């Protein structure tokens, strides 16, 4: 009895710790920032990126809302030119206009008369290398929406690039070429990016790498969430370049669900290669709002943006390995903060097929060993359907409660955590309710079938997400095979061990991904998140709790 209680506590601790560590893999490290800012002149000669200098830039850039075409945006542009020229660079202004009434209305503050056209300007800085083997295009947009100052979107990126340019200059002329592009009109259907691509068709061949920096919030980790095709080699460059990599191949699939794009969308549509897109998601409630301001920028995120962008630029300044660009995509994800897994799709396919075969072997052994009867098999199917529906219903009800009943805005993390705890308890309740009618084996057959199908479908149709079912199915199916083959006296202990290992892996991988989906799309996804979470925990909870 004592050992059983200890195992209960251990399982709970594994689930909590796994989820926490998984989410922390997408969060920046703590940084002690004293709120003292510095100017470029004060930092002259410093060869390391300074968050104090970056935050000084951000104060000027995010002083007020500065939509494209506005006087406020002209002031931001003048500040950028002044700072860039003070570093010793030459800035080229590329002007363009737009007369679309819908675009003009989107940029014009409410109550002000609509101008006949919007006048916008991209800023371009070209840096020649001493012995160039690559050209890296680095970009961010300096306009905001008319609704907020745009400290996160995208002031923090612009300010961090400015500081990285200062460090680049302090370290002497780079080996490789750079083009720094500060676009205007990104908030108006990426107009600046479209103008640059149209005026410079040669850059599709010239640019070896493209780095776009964005934000959809005011905090959180700086996630590399999207790339151009054939990214396996590119991912290895990224991991080598930065001290705290945070990249997930499921990010592009999440981003595709969003109604908006980034400047990189334009470049990808124009067949640019070697491209990476970065953003942060925490504080998404501040996105395109008055609260997207200097004060609400998470200081840990500010430090990560400053250091990571400088690390990337310093790395690509001297990179030599530019010939071996592969056509194969990678599957990639972090498991702990700073620990990034990157594997070719071909390896992911081998693992997926292996996992599916192990599932088939496990099912056959459960049948051959006669570990369940027909009634238990039927109740296993009913219980699995009930668990998945339960997760969906709890997610749907949570959305209704949060949106329509609770009068105050709750923290997103609190909503997410409470919902997952309710689903966890509900799944345990369902398994206890059906406990006398089914056994572990009757339930496991259906769960293995479902997970094997999900593994194969995702691997070959949505490969970026394939790692989630692969690394849950491998230990689960392998553990069940061992369970069926060992002596009876070891079976219960084996079940508990398999459950705990699977719980750890599922928590580390699934919990943060569902949280990213929630932050990216908010309450409309709660029923999907509830369904997926219930499905992910059903396997190891059934192994643990059913006889």
């Amino acid at each position: 009895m004592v050992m059983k209680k200890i195992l209960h506590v251990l399982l709970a601790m594994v689930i909590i710790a796994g989820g926490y560590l998984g989410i922390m893999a997408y969060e920046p490290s703590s940084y002690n920032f004293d709120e003292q800012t510095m100017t470029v002149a004060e930092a002259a000669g410093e060869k390391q990126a300074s968050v104090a200098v970056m935050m000084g830039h951000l104060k000027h850039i995010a002083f007020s809302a500065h939509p494209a075409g506005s006087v406020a945006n002209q002031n931001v542009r003048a500040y950028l030119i002044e700072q860039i020229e003070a570093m010793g660079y030459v800035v080229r202004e590329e002007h363009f206009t737009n007369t679309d009434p819908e675009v003009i209305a989107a940029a014009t503050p409410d109550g002000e008369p609509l101008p006949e056209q919007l006048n916008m300007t991209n800023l371009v800085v070209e840096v020649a290398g001493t012995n160039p083997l690559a050209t890296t295009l680095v970009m961010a947009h300096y306009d905001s929406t008319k609704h907020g100052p745009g400290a996160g979107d995208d002031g923090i990126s612009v300010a961090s690039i400015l500081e990285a340019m200062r460090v680049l200059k302090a370290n002497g002329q780079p080996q490789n070429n750079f083009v720094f592009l500060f676009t205007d009109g990104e908030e108006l259907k990426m107009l600046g990016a479209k103008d640059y691509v149209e005026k410079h068709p040669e850059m599709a061949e010239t640019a070896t790498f493209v780095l776009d920096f964005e934000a959809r919030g005011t905090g959180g980790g700086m996630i590399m969430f999207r790339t151009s095709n054939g990214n396996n080699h590119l991912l290895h460059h990224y991991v080598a370049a930065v001290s705290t990599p945070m990249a997930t191949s499921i990010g592009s699939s999440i981003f595709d669900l969003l109604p908006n794009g980034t400047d990189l969308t334009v470049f990808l549509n124009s067949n640019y290669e070697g491209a990476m897109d970065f953003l942060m998601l925490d504080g998404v409630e501040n996105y395109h709002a008055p609260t997207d301001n200097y004060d609400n920028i998470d200081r840990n995120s500010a430090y990560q943006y400053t250091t990571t962008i400088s690390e990337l630029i310093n790395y690509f300044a001297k990179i030599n390995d530019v010939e071996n660009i592969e056509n194969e995509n990678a599957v990639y994800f972090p498991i702990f903060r700073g620990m990034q897994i990157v594997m070719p799709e071909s390896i992911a396919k081998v693992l997926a097929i292996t996992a599916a075969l192990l599932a088939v072997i496990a099912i056959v052994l459960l049948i051959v060993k006669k570990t369940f009867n027909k009634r238990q098999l039927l109740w296993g199917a009913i219980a699995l359907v009930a668990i998945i529906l339960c997760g969906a219903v709890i997610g749907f009800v949570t959305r209704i409660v949060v949106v329509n009943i609770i009068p105050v805005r709750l923290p997103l993390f609190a909503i997410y955590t409470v919902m997952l705890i309710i689903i966890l308890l509900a799944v345990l309740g369902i398994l206890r309710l059906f406990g006398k009618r089914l056994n572990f084996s009757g339930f496991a057959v259906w769960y293995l079938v479902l997970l094997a199908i999900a593994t194969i479908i995702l691997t070959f149709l949505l490969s970026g997400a394939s790692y989630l079912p692969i690394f849950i199915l491998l230990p689960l199916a392998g553990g069940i095979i061992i369970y069926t083959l060992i002596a009876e006296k070891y079976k219960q202990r084996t079940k508990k061990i398999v459950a705990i290992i699977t719980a750890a892996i599922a928590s580390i991988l699934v919990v943060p991904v569902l949280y990213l989906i929630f932050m990216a799309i908010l309450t409309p996804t709660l029923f999907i998140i509830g369904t997926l979470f219930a499905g992910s925990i059903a396997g190891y909870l059934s192994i643990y709790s059913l006889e």
Side-chain angles (χ1 to χ4, degrees), residues 4-207:
K4 189 174 184 180
K5 289 182 179 180
I6 291 174
L7 289 173
H8 286 349
V9 172
L10 180 59
L11 180 64
M13 290 175 61
V14 163
I15 295 171
I16 294 169
Y20 174 78
L21 291 172
I23 289 176
M24 287 301 103
Y26 294 91
E27 293 292 325
S29 300
S30 296
Y31 171 74
N32 185 22
F33 183 63
D34 61 8
E35 293 299 328
Q36 295 297 313
T37 60
M38 293 174 60
T39 65
V40 169
E42 291 170 334
E46 289 290 332
K47 295 186 177 183
Q48 297 295 323
S50 167
V51 69
V53 177
M54 188 281 284
M55 294 298 280
H57 290 314
L58 187 59
K59 267 190 175 180
H60 286 86
I61 294 168
F63 180 76
S64 65
H66 48 282
S70 67
V71 173
N73 206 39
Q74 293 174 23
N75 294 336
V76 171
R77 180 163 63 250
Y79 174 80
L80 296 180
I81 294 172
E82 176 189 20
Q83 295 299 309
I84 293 170
E85 289 180 342
M87 298 177 205
Y89 293 107
V90 177
V91 185
R92 183 174 73 247
E93 298 180 61
E94 295 187 351
H95 306 289
F96 59 101
T97 61
N98 190 282
T99 57
D100 184 340
E102 183 179 339
V103 170
I104 293 172
T108 305
D110 297 338
E112 293 188 10
L114 299 181
E116 292 184 1
Q117 68 178 25
L118 285 181
N119 298 310
M120 292 167 280
T121 304
N122 288 335
L123 301 179
V124 184
V125 180
E126 296 178 346
V127 180
T130 57
N131 184 26
L133 298 175
T135 297
T136 301
L137 175 62
V138 181
M139 61 181 173
H141 69 90
Y142 68 89
D143 63 309
S144 73
T145 68
K146 64 183 179 182
H147 303 294
D153 182 22
D154 192 24
I156 192 172
S157 300
V158 173
S160 296
I161 292 174
L162 286 179
E163 173 56 2
M165 292 173 67
R166 183 198 65 76
V167 173
L168 185 69
K169 177 68 73 171
N171 284 307
Q173 189 176 3
Q175 172 189 316
N176 293 315
N177 298 332
F178 281 93
V179 176
F180 294 97
L181 172 62
F182 300 94
T183 64
D184 199 354
E186 191 274 349
E187 300 293 359
L188 305 173
K189 302 178 181 178
M190 295 85 71
L191 291 178
K194 291 174 182 176
D195 184 76
Y196 182 84
V197 166
E198 183 179 331
K199 288 178 178 175
H200 301 278
E202 76 285 354
M203 282 300 293
E205 296 296 328
T206 303

Side-chain angles (χ1 to χ4, degrees), residues 82-367:
E82 176 189 20
Q83 295 299 309
I84 293 170
E85 289 180 342
M87 298 177 205
Y89 293 107
V90 177
V91 185
R92 183 174 73 247
E93 298 180 61
E94 295 187 351
H95 306 289
F96 59 101
T97 61
N98 190 282
T99 57
D100 184 340
E102 183 179 339
V103 170
I104 293 172
T108 305
D110 297 338
E112 293 188 10
L114 299 181
E116 292 184 1
Q117 68 178 25
L118 285 181
N119 298 310
M120 292 167 280
T121 304
N122 288 335
L123 301 179
V124 184
V125 180
E126 296 178 346
V127 180
T130 57
N131 184 26
L133 298 175
T135 297
T136 301
L137 175 62
V138 181
M139 61 181 173
H141 69 90
Y142 68 89
D143 63 309
S144 73
T145 68
K146 64 183 179 182
H147 303 294
D153 182 22
D154 192 24
I156 192 172
S157 300
V158 173
S160 296
I161 292 174
L162 286 179
E163 173 56 2
M165 292 173 67
R166 183 198 65 76
V167 173
L168 185 69
K169 177 68 73 171
N171 284 307
Q173 189 176 3
Q175 172 189 316
N176 293 315
N177 298 332
F178 281 93
V179 176
F180 294 97
L181 172 62
F182 300 94
T183 64
D184 199 354
E186 191 274 349
E187 300 293 359
L188 305 173
K189 302 178 181 178
M190 295 85 71
L191 291 178
K194 291 174 182 176
D195 184 76
Y196 182 84
V197 166
E198 183 179 331
K199 288 178 178 175
H200 301 278
E202 76 285 354
M203 282 300 293
E205 296 296 328
T206 303
T208 316
F209 303 101
V210 182
L211 310 178
D212 179 47
F213 300 100
E214 262 286 1
R216 189 178 164 80
T218 51
M222 184 181 175
I223 301 170
M224 201 285 287
F225 71 98
R226 181 168 62 151
T227 71
S228 52
N229 223 5
N231 60 22
N232 187 49
H233 195 67
L234 185 63
L235 260 294
H236 288 284
H237 282 312
Y238 165 70
V239 172
V242 303
S243 55
T244 310
M246 295 179 183
T248 173
S249 51
I250 202 173
S252 181
S253 302
I254 297 173
F255 188 80
D256 289 342
L257 299 175
L258 300 176
N260 43 359
T262 69
D263 278 340
L264 192 70
T265 303
V266 177
F267 288 82
L268 292 177
N269 291 341
S270 300
N271 299 316
Y272 278 67
E273 297 179 350
M276 292 186 281
D277 219 346
F278 300 80
L279 56 59
M280 60 182 175
L281 282 170
D282 282 5
V284 67
E285 62 272 15
N286 300 318
Y287 181 62
H288 288 180
T291 49
D292 184 8
N293 56 39
Y294 177 89
D295 291 336
N296 283 330
I297 288 293
D298 183 274
R299 276 27 184 182
N300 297 329
S301 302
Y303 179 76
Q304 189 183 22
Y305 263 72
T306 304
T307 55
T308 301
I309 290 178
S310 187
E311 287 172 343
L312 285 164
I313 290 174
N314 288 338
Y315 178 85
F316 287 110
K318 53 192 176 185
I319 187 174
N320 293 312
D321 181 18
V322 296
E323 299 297 329
N324 186 24
I325 302 299
E326 304 174 22
N327 291 322
E328 186 173 10
N329 281 322
V331 175
Y332 49 96
F333 55 94
I335 51 174
F336 301 111
R337 182 184 288 147
M339 187 178 294
Q340 183 75 39
I341 303 297
V342 179
M343 60 182 175
E345 275 189 355
S346 56
I347 298 298
K349 289 177 180 178
V350 171
L351 290 175
I353 293 170
T354 301
L357 289 175
L358 287 176
V360 171
I361 293 170
I363 292 170
V364 170
L365 287 172
L366 289 172
I367 294 172

Side-chain angles (χ1 to χ4, degrees), residues 381-422:
I382 294 172
L384 182 57
V385 171
I387 286 171
I388 292 173
L389 288 177
C390 177
V393 169
I394 291 173
F396 182 75
V397 171
T398 301
R399 182 189 179 190
I400 293 175
V401 171
V402 170
V403 174
N404 299 319
I405 298 177
I406 297 178
V408 297
R409 175 179 285 182
L410 297 175
L412 296 181
F413 186 76
I415 296 170
Y416 179 72
T417 303
V418 170
M419 187 185 78
L420 295 197
I421 291 172
I422 293 172

Side-chain angles (χ1 to χ4, degrees), residues 503-539:
I505 295 172
S507 298
I508 290 171
L509 296 183
V510 175
V511 171
V513 166
L514 296 183
Y515 186 52
L516 292 180
I517 295 173
F518 179 42
M519 287 192 297
I521 315 175
L522 299 179
T523 54
T525 61
L526 284 175
F527 81 96
I528 298 174
I529 292 170
T531 303
L532 295 176
F533 181 67
S536 71
I537 66 177

